[in-house]
Amino acid sequence: MDRTPVADADVCIVGAGPAGGLVAHRLAESGATVVVLEAGPRFDGDRREQLEQHIRPGLDGPWEMGGPRDAFSSTGESFYPLNAARVKGVGGSTLHWQGMVMRLHERDFELDTRHGVGADWPVGYDDLRPYYAAAEREFGVAGAADNPYAPPRDEPYPLPAFRPSHSDSIFAEACERLGIDMHSVGNARNSEPYDDRSPCVGYGTCKPVCPSGAKYTAESHVEKAEAAGARVIDRARVRRLEHDEAGERVVAAAYTTPGGETHRQEATQFVLACGGVENVRLLLLSDSDRYPDGLANSSGAVGRYFMDHLFAGMGGRLDRPTRQNHVGFNTSECHQFYDDADPVNGLKLEFLNYAGPSPVIDALHADTWGDDLLDQLDESYGTHVSMGALVEQLPREDNYVGLDRETTDDLGDPVPEIHWSVDEQTDAALSRANEIQARVLDELGVEDRWTVGPDETGPAYHHMGTTRMGDDPESSVVDAECRAHDLDNLWISGSSVFPTGGAMNPTLTIAALSLRLAESLRAELE
């Protein structure tokens, strides 16, 4: 494949995930000359084959990552398993995401004003409202306007919501008695044919791989961008951004290809869209005499305020069947406690459709065969229920992404180093989630319980906050348009610009901000 630079490029985008794919498509469609540099490969081939790879014992996933270049270190009170959820490749994290999407609430944009914690965004919900609707159309979101706690919307979802599952109906019995509301989940997967993709046919393997193609991945927008004239170069690992003598503009992205060749991609405008960790890593690797602490980092905020969502869960066994078929995504959730002030951290309850042991995994690890194995699986499978919750982590300057100068990748560049811990306020929100979950399970009479609370919690792998947006160049990295304060032709797209993270899965907000950025950048090019 030809991996040489594109001449006379208007825009160079680093990263081909949902942010980069959407920006590339919108700009290429408007007539701009766009080149996308993606560190990882294209994962061509049959989704069923990729799934078969994933479930074979001893393999971590179907996405070949090309060796040990993603080694990392982690410090702080809590170990952060960075590479457990990252994918470098065309499509980015949507290659293995679960596909649940929802809008942030109005309070998420005004947390400091309303509660005196966190930060306010330089944009409000109403500013993003039309872009949220556009993002839902781009993804093909299935949902229903049945959530009285959700922010206001102007139009219906593009696709009808998925029906509540059998286990949802069991939870509904208890929730109705307890006065807890349940409502549908927005899903970026087809409930009916949409955008040349199949409807969901119930494979139940949504994470990591949807064999039918019903679940959205950013590959579709990358392909649309290419059809509109964009050039996408895979396995092009951008190692630094070069700026002009005055330090006011980026002039080139320096990248290395698999054969060891180095190239410089010049462009008029540059967009970083490689995630909440790699955006930071690239800026820090691009230090210079003008920017000794990293490019676009006169504020010192690059890498700071790293946030994730924390998981709280509880489940156990009932004395009746709990589901009729495997459903690999959530169909019901609860925002009723999201805007509570004590604790102030956002809290989203989830009713999980994939509770209990997997018969496939149990069979692979069983010590018995034949009828004995069948009896064992009948006893363990399909009698469990469980609830989850995403809990907000507020931004803290001492949670940050840096560089581990002692550990390098196969090109000799320092790898990311994560400094991350969970504070008492977040622990209190996790305990609050467990309290609500226990009430529901008590009402159902669930036995043999397990709990994930403050002592067992882990991240949801939503990397946010590390190049935060704001009006003040002394405390933020980009402005309200996602343009860097320090360089007028550098833009940053993705969840790294979030000043706060709320408790909602971030990809729809990533998409909305990306579409807004594309609009601003398109006007800049005219």
Side-chain angles (χ1 to χ4, degrees), residues 199-456:
C200 174
V201 295
Y203 276 96
T205 59
C206 308
K207 186 172 183 178
V209 178
C210 173
S212 71
K215 184 181 69 172
Y216 170 85
T217 76
E219 294 162 295
S220 65
H221 276 100
V222 171
E223 291 168 1
K224 290 177 182 179
E226 290 180 299
R231 170 102 175 275
V232 178
I233 305 176
D234 71 339
R235 300 183 187 270
R237 293 164 58 182
V238 178
R239 301 175 64 189
R240 65 182 292 112
L241 299 177
E242 302 172 3
H243 61 74
D244 61 9
E245 187 172 346
E248 296 176 351
R249 295 180 65 82
V250 176
V251 295
Y255 66 95
T256 299
T257 57
E261 301 90 354
T262 59
H263 301 280
R264 295 173 71 255
Q265 177 62 60
E266 298 180 355
T268 305
Q269 303 286 337
F270 291 81
V271 180
L272 285 191
C274 41
V277 173
E278 293 297 326
N279 279 348
V280 171
R281 185 190 187 206
L282 183 53
L283 292 174
L284 296 180
L285 288 173
S286 302
D287 57 346
S288 64
D289 291 341
R290 173 68 176 81
Y291 295 103
D293 298 319
L295 192 65
N297 196 23
S298 64
S299 65
V302 170
R304 297 285 174 180
Y305 307 104
F306 175 70
M307 299 173 288
D308 205 325
H309 296 129
L310 281 302
F311 178 79
M314 190 175 294
R317 178 178 292 189
L318 279 175
D319 61 357
R320 52 174 162 158
T322 58
R323 67 186 186 198
Q324 70 282 23
N325 290 304
H326 185 66
V327 180
F329 55 94
N330 297 345
T331 44
S332 293
E333 62 186 7
C334 173
H335 296 193
Q336 185 172 344
F337 307 97
Y338 191 89
D339 296 335
D340 288 357
D342 185 23
V344 69
N345 305 57
L347 164 62
K348 172 174 70 95
L349 285 176
E350 301 172 329
F351 302 91
L352 305 181
N353 284 327
Y354 32 92
S358 161
V360 175
I361 300 301
D362 279 3
L364 287 171
H365 294 91
D367 296 324
T368 186
W369 299 89
D371 290 341
D372 290 341
L373 174 58
L374 183 59
D375 291 342
Q376 180 180 313
L377 297 178
D378 284 341
E379 173 69 18
S380 64
Y381 178 68
T383 58
H384 292 73
V385 292
S386 62
M387 296 180 65
L390 285 189
V391 169
E392 177 177 20
Q393 182 178 38
L394 298 175
R396 289 169 43 199
E397 190 174 6
D398 58 351
N399 281 341
Y400 68 95
V401 177
L403 296 179
D404 179 358
R405 300 286 182 179
E406 303 299 318
T407 306
T408 58
D409 63 16
D410 57 339
L411 294 179
D413 295 325
V415 301
E417 182 178 46
I418 310 300
H419 299 253
W420 182 73
S421 59
V422 180
D423 60 14
E424 292 182 359
Q425 187 166 329
T426 306
D427 282 345
L430 291 164
S431 295
R432 171 63 170 152
N434 285 156
E435 290 171 7
I436 300 167
Q437 292 163 346
R439 288 172 55 202
V440 176
L441 298 188
D442 286 344
E443 187 70 22
L444 286 174
V446 173
E447 300 176 347
D448 300 329
R449 293 193 195 179
W450 55 265
T451 300
V452 175
D455 294 334
E456 305 86 10

Side-chain angles (χ1 to χ4, degrees), residues 102-106 108-109 121-137 151-155 469 479-482 494 497-500 506-520:
M102 54 284 299
R103 303 181 182 194
L104 288 174
H105 284 211
E106 293 164 294
D108 294 318
F109 299 91
W121 292 46
V123 296
Y125 174 74
D126 284 341
D127 295 312
L128 285 191
R129 196 163 165 176
Y131 301 99
Y132 270 131
E136 288 167 348
R137 291 192 297 271
R153 55 185 303 121
D154 299 315
E155 56 189 79
M469 63 163 59
D479 63 16
E481 304 302 315
C482 297
V497 306
F498 291 13
T500 58
T507 306
L508 192 69
T509 303
I510 291 172
L513 287 170
S514 298
L515 293 172
R516 188 170 183 267
L517 181 158
E519 186 174 274
S520 299

Side-chain angles (χ1 to χ4, degrees), residues 472-487:
D472 183 1
E474 294 187 3
S475 61
S476 57
V477 179
V478 300
D479 63 16
E481 304 302 315
C482 297
R483 189 203 304 249
H485 291 299
D486 293 348
L487 300 105

